[in-house]
Amino acid sequence: MLQHPSVQALLEKLEKQHNLSSILNLLGWDEQVNLPPGGAEQRAQQMATLSEVHHQLASDPTVEPLLQKLESDWDTLTQQEQTVAKQTRRDYDRATRLPADYVAEKAKLDSQAYHAWVQARENDDFAAFAPYLKRQVDMSIQGAEFLGHGENPYDYLIDLFDPGMKAETIEGFFSTLKAELVPLSQAILGSPIKAKTERLRGFPVEKQEAFLKEVTKTLGFDYHRGRIDVAVHPFCSGNANDTRLTTRFNEDVPLDSLFSSIHETGHGLYEQGLPTNQLHNALGQAVGMGIHESQSRLWENQVSRSREFWQFFEPKYRETFPDQLAGLSSDDLYLAINAVTLCPIRVDSDEVTYNLHILLRFELEKKLIGGELDVDDLPAEWNRLSQEIIGLTPASDKEGVLQDVHWSGGMFGYFPSYCLGNMIAAQLWYKVLEEIPDLPNDFAEGKFDRLLTWLRDCIHQHGKLYDTQDLVTRVTGEPINPQHLIRYLKDRYMPLYQ
Ligand SMILES: [Zn+2]
């Protein structure tokens, strides 16, 4: 399937590039999990040097004639060969049109800005982080200019995470969601039925860790090819052979580490399901972040917040935490798992209000990158929009504008992927239920392999063979449609909150 001599020649080059990028990735993981603060400056230099070497390989001039040959033979190529050529062209153009000193400077800034963010968040001191954020905004716009997208840098940034997606398309989805979800969340928040999450206190960290390992293993995460560690912000990195998940623990917020671990496990299951024999090229790599998020969301929400899931895991949960859960009925526990509350923190917020948090970030980064909002005015604008969209003003910047890691890494355009992921997850969920109507019964027996196999067949095995909209259409029969998410949220939450 990958036989064209020019593809074969490309694959050799791609293997070296991927080896280097996976080492960079590992250094990034280590930085967030293990690195002592004194090593931060050296790590920034290490990553800058390695990024330069990676950039040299990625901009190797002998790639251009190979790509040109493939482009002239286009109609004779298999779909797989076209996928590899298309992605390599994309990466090659990005590598050759970004100057080496820009790439090295960006890598160094990413590392420094991350540490500045950790510090600023801890001290609730936005002013200390602002200079780094300004440079990230400037460098993002500059990067788009180098790539010939100076006219619409935000579209370019979105495209980095979700190829083909545009701010305007996303805006359309969001206005549909906003019209339905604001009244839905208000109705739920106004309901006399309230979750008793404050009753969940004093869950020892070691026991939380053991329980979440059992859960994630049961869902299908392969610990022979992966691990989970503690970091400031939960994330998933690595690849199919070596998948690194992180989580964080708080004795008094046990559902946070459990569900964020399940979320990251969803990402990990996708990574582990990508074809390992194509690891170095587009056929062994994720489509984009929207599809990636759909996998994490599906496992986190549709699966792990379901009644059936808890029919199986509740007895084990009670066995692990008998004192902490004493006096809490099954219904109380289930309601706590599906609690809807007004919360300033995105990662702690529920499925219903979550999308409003994304809408807020989408508006802000669109203005930041579009030059309509100055970094110094960002905290005030965050608070103003938060009140308008979510219905609350955060008590501090730590709980507001400083809460997320993304912007410290210059990752503007990433947030919309979360919402795309929610929409795609709901759409996939109704499709799999159509094909396997008794699927939830599996969960009640602690079996998740039929779902995982379905996802492997429909999504994981294809790598980048189809782009986001094509893949969703191929699997579900229509492109992304926000109505599925609205239907799902109503199906789950309206009976709970009457
Ligand atoms: Zn995620």
Side-chain angles (χ1 to χ4, degrees):
M1 86 183 165
L2 294 175
Q3 309 208 313
H4 191 293
S6 297
V7 170
Q8 288 291 328
L10 274 185
L11 290 181
E12 271 179 47
K13 294 174 186 299
L14 292 175
E15 181 168 347
K16 286 192 180 135
Q17 277 183 43
H18 184 261
N19 281 334
L20 266 185
S21 62
S22 61
I23 294 167
L24 265 167
N25 197 282
L26 193 59
L27 284 179
W29 169 87
D30 179 74
E31 183 174 19
Q32 297 200 41
V33 173
N34 294 317
L35 193 71
E41 189 56 38
Q42 175 179 290
R43 178 55 49 88
Q45 288 165 8
Q46 291 169 329
M47 290 180 77
T49 304
L50 203 54
S51 295
E52 254 183 276
V53 179
H54 181 266
H55 185 256
Q56 280 161 16
L57 277 191
S59 55
D60 173 357
T62 63
V63 168
E64 181 62 43
L66 294 172
L67 284 174
Q68 281 178 12
K69 172 69 179 147
L70 289 169
E71 282 154 3
S72 72
D73 291 354
W74 198 256
D75 293 338
T76 69
L77 301 182
T78 62
Q79 197 187 352
Q80 284 80 5
E81 288 170 336
Q82 287 178 351
T83 302
V84 173
K86 201 169 85 183
Q87 185 62 34
T88 310
R89 166 58 76 193
R90 214 181 137 84
D91 295 341
Y92 183 72
D93 283 354
R94 282 195 175 122
T96 51
R97 293 167 80 173
L98 290 176
D101 57 349
Y102 170 90
V103 174
E105 194 191 328
K106 177 73 167 69
K108 203 169 163 185
L109 174 61
D110 286 352
S111 182
Q112 291 169 337
Y114 169 73
H115 293 285
W117 168 74
V118 172
Q119 215 51 54
R121 183 176 182 243
E122 206 174 294
N123 303 334
D124 189 24
D125 181 6
F126 180 80
F129 176 56
Y132 297 93
L133 186 56
K134 276 181 200 167
R135 283 179 64 205
Q136 284 290 18
V137 170
D138 291 345
M139 287 203 84
S140 296
I141 295 169
Q142 207 185 348
E145 279 165 5
F146 283 131
L147 272 300
H149 296 277
E151 302 266 301
N152 45 6
Y154 192 47
D155 274 347
Y156 163 75
L157 293 167
I158 291 171
D159 185 82
L160 285 177
F161 301 106
D162 281 294
M165 202 53 77
K166 296 219 177 311
E168 201 189 343
T169 314
I170 292 168
E171 219 157 347
F173 295 148
F174 281 7
S175 65
T176 305
L177 288 177
K178 194 180 173 189
E180 294 275 352
L181 296 188
V182 169
L184 179 67
S185 76
Q186 281 167 356
I188 293 170
L189 291 166
S191 163
I193 296 166
K194 302 283 178 211
K196 297 166 187 162
T197 41
E198 72 287 348
R199 300 262 301 271
L200 299 168
R201 291 281 178 268
F203 285 58
V205 168
E206 328 76 71
K207 287 191 172 181
Q208 285 193 50
E209 200 174 357
F211 183 75
L212 74 82
K213 273 199 173 147
E214 191 188 337
V215 170
T216 53
K217 209 170 168 176
T218 309
L219 294 178
F221 187 74
D222 180 358
Y223 277 94
H224 181 63
R225 297 189 281 149
R227 52 182 292 138
I228 187 161
D229 295 272
V230 175
V232 177
H233 197 92
F235 65 92
C236 167
S237 73
N239 56 53
N241 289 328
D242 179 1
T243 314
R244 307 288 175 109
L245 313 178
T246 65
T247 189
R248 58 183 172 201
F249 293 102
N250 181 331
E251 290 208 342
D252 298 329
V253 198
L255 295 176
D256 169 57
S257 51
L258 179 61
F259 281 95
S260 65
S261 304
I262 294 171
H263 176 97
E264 300 309 331
T265 298
H267 285 302
L269 290 172
Y270 182 20
E271 288 293 332
Q272 292 187 334
L274 288 162
T276 48
N277 60 344
Q278 305 289 350
L279 204 62
H280 308 302
N281 71 68
L283 296 171
Q285 292 157 13
V287 186
M289 285 319 297
I291 293 289
H292 230 307
E293 281 303 318
S294 78
Q295 300 305 289
S296 54
R297 288 287 161 180
L298 185 87
W299 287 101
E300 178 191 355
N301 294 330
Q302 277 83 5
V303 175
S304 302
R305 293 186 201 276
S306 69
R307 287 262 185 213
E308 292 83 0
F309 177 96
W310 284 95
Q311 273 170 36
F312 181 76
F313 280 109
E314 189 186 333
K316 294 169 197 307
Y317 202 44
R318 288 188 183 279
E319 205 176 291
T320 314
F321 303 103
D323 301 337
Q324 293 82 352
L325 293 169
L328 206 70
S329 72
S330 292
D331 283 345
D332 286 342
L333 178 62
Y334 189 64
L335 195 61
I337 286 158
N338 288 287
V340 177
T341 48
L342 215 47
C343 167
I345 307 292
R346 175 183 60 88
V347 295
D348 294 341
S349 69
D350 54 84
E351 286 188 275
V352 184
T353 56
Y354 188 92
N355 298 291
L356 304 177
H357 287 265
I358 300 305
L359 196 60
L360 162 73
R361 287 155 179 77
F362 175 73
E363 288 299 321
L364 290 170
E365 54 181 32
K366 202 172 59 179
K367 286 183 188 169
L368 275 178
I369 301 299
E372 296 160 50
L373 176 64
D374 198 80
V375 166
D376 292 329
D377 301 327
L378 181 62
E381 187 59 4
W382 176 291
N383 294 346
R384 190 189 69 79
L385 269 179
S386 177
Q387 186 63 50
E388 185 186 304
I389 298 173
I390 303 167
L392 64 78
T393 304
S396 65
D397 288 340
K398 190 176 177 170
E399 291 195 341
V401 66
L402 284 172
Q403 65 181 279
D404 296 306
V405 70
H406 306 61
W407 289 343
S408 77
M411 286 161 79
F412 307 101
Y414 187 109
F415 283 118
S417 303
Y418 292 118
C419 197
L420 292 174
N422 286 339
M423 291 187 279
I424 299 167
Q427 198 160 331
L428 291 174
W429 177 244
Y430 286 113
K431 188 64 194 175
V432 70
L433 286 183
E434 208 178 290
E435 292 183 10
I436 315 174
D438 63 337
L439 183 67
N441 298 340
D442 284 16
F443 307 164
E445 292 169 21
K447 291 177 187 159
F448 300 92
D449 51 319
R450 278 207 295 175
L451 174 61
L452 185 55
T453 304
W454 189 85
L455 291 170
R456 294 262 194 262
D457 289 347
C458 295
I459 308 281
H460 304 177
Q461 64 155 329
H462 299 303
K464 285 188 195 293
L465 194 59
Y466 308 101
D467 78 14
T468 306
Q469 286 284 36
D470 288 344
L471 185 62
V472 171
T473 307
R474 194 175 183 273
V475 178
T476 69
E478 61 171 334
I480 298 172
N481 177 352
Q483 294 301 336
H484 297 286
L485 177 61
I486 294 162
R487 175 189 166 192
Y488 158 73
L489 292 173
K490 286 183 176 171
D491 277 0
R492 173 156 294 173
Y493 289 92
M494 281 168 70
L496 261 179
Y497 289 88
Q498 294 168 3

